[in-house]
Amino acid sequence: MMVKISRLSRGRHHLAFVLLLVLVVVGICVPVFALLPSLCSHHQSLPPALPRDEKMMSQRFYIKDDKFWKDENTFQIIGGDLHYFRVLPQYWEDRLLRAKALGLNTIQTYVPWNLHEPNPGKMVFDGIADVVSFIKLCQKLDLLVMLRAGPYICGEWNLGGFPAWLLAAKPPLKLRTADPAYLKLVERWWNVLLPKVFPLLYSNGGPVIMVQIENEYGSYGNDKAYLRNLVTMATGHLGNDIILYTTDGGTRETLEKGTVPLYDVYSAVDFSTGDDPWPIFELQKKFNAPGRSPPLSSEFYTGWLTHWGEKIAKTDAEFTAASLEKILSQNGSAVLYMVHGGTNFGFYNGANTGSDEFDFKPDLTSYDYDAPIKESGDIDNPKFRALQRVIKKYNAAPHSITPSNNKRKAYGPIKMQRTISLFDLMSMTGPVDVITSTNPISMESAGQMFRFLVYESSYISKKSGNILRIPKVHDRAQVFVSCLSQDVDGEVLRYIGTTERWNNQPVSIPTTECTSNTSLFILVENMGRVNYGPYIFDEKGILSTVYLDGQILHGWKMIPIPFHNLNQMPNFSFEIQHTKKRNVGQKEPALFAGKFSINSVDEIKDTYLSFNGWGKGVAFINKFNIGRYWPSVGPQCNLYVPAPLLKPGRNSVMIFELESPHVDLLLRAVDQEDFTCGSNYSKVNQL
């Protein structure tokens, strides 16, 4: 979506098994759904289309006389963005039916490259990444599809959908340009994706009426050779019967940069909700061929995103509905962004920046977006009713019955217990997974594309203490020291302080009583890569020299902490490695485990985990990574737990707490969302 300036090996396998064992001990027994990679072959020629009957032979979706045409009738697109990768597959149909009840006739979705190719050459199209099944489900429900194929998508999604391993390439790739090395990787990706799309095109009997290339490119660059290369790739796979389109902000500058002149590519626009749409649609005509500019707002904003530390974004229901009617009442088309936001499960949330790359603003786990269909699927709200009332005037198709809200359940308090400390996690990482280097290297160079990385070095402690300075860290570094060479009572890791990308301050290290060199440990968290703007080449980890008392500190080990991501599963197949019991300080990050029981299938409902009283971390339900929590900063207090993640009997909860656990080690499973946590120290642009 658009963020305007004006609005703006061995050891690792042991560790993965131990993380899983914590879950097994508290009662987990089955995975939620298959997410393991599946290899896909590359196809250079167009695959066969679906079998076509006589009716299909006449199917066409095209542009003529500044209108969209579906077969022989004019067609007004009344659509909505609903992203398959932000909703569990078991809930796809539920959410699509709710969108249909709103009155929509079209669903628009991005395709995030990084979800489908998390490792170079390994393609994933299973489970939550099964985009083909999602598109077919849309067709089953009589919904058309607008597919946003990237390769860049933005969408408040990690690195704008680019795989993080692109950042590790040497020499560095020039993303979003005609750089041949970059385009070669895009071509390899599209050689897999687009042949899957071809049989699903409307002209082949499927629901896909339009395919978008790139996204809001005019807000980033002006490389026409790049855009022309994408068009050539797309038509090579999809043929000439599909409408290719671009989306750009509704200004002359962005349209001049982001459109594809002399090519038969339709240019759509987006703009702030409340802007007068029709002067922008007139401008749109100047960037489309004569007669080929039906007015379309391909991102009509129903709400807005929220970063950690901001007040939750809200927009007025009646204002939003009135703005939509200004478009629909004059036969314009619109796609609601979002009709249903969903959730940034795993480590896939994106981030934005302000005036420079240090003004870092990571997105919440919730992508509720103040959309008419809430994160939990609720539609009993003023915005849904107001938009439905307007849409009913212009969509003549029979409306489905509006479903009721899904039931939720508060399962009550969950007692957690500390199981594995950060030091123990590091000690279970074998030598084959530890990287040594004179200077720190990035997470990407270390092969740690998400999650956490520990940087270890040593120094001689001064009686007056030491000053540690890390000029560039992405994104958040917690500093610990230890006398590992001696057998001392008490805490092995002593917490010293935290330095952050957006508040980079030196850390004062008190003197230690170590008989030899003091060990230094820096735990760095990747909080989500930038997905929009000039700083999108967002490497993570320690990205500069580290200074101790003004002198360069050499000699580093990089130790990965490998929690699994959304499209990964823990590994079962290795022996347990026991760890020595010891005292653990309250400030040392640790794993905490707990469980709660559900008596029967009938009692399985959506719920939320409340993290009030906890510090910061990441949470797992029955092995599934439900995302990050940070109630001390807010505004999100609770993480959404969809019912399909739960099961009768014992359900396990595991969290990696980075700062300070709840004084009573209690989590609560509650039945309501809550966006009232934290200090709300920054302001959000509200319509």
Side-chain angles (χ1 to χ4, degrees), residues 253-274:
E253 179 184 5
T254 54
L255 286 165
E256 285 177 346
K257 292 179 178 179
T259 53
V260 191
L262 306 180
Y263 276 70
D264 193 16
V265 178
Y266 169 66
S267 173
V269 292
D270 56 26
F271 43 85
S272 295
T273 302

Side-chain angles (χ1 to χ4, degrees), residues 35 84-85 89 92 115-116 124-132 567:
L35 293 172
Y84 60 94
F85 47 91
W92 285 346
L115 181 71
H116 294 281
V124 179
F125 288 91
D126 304 48
I128 204 166
D130 191 353
V131 61
V132 171
N567 55 336

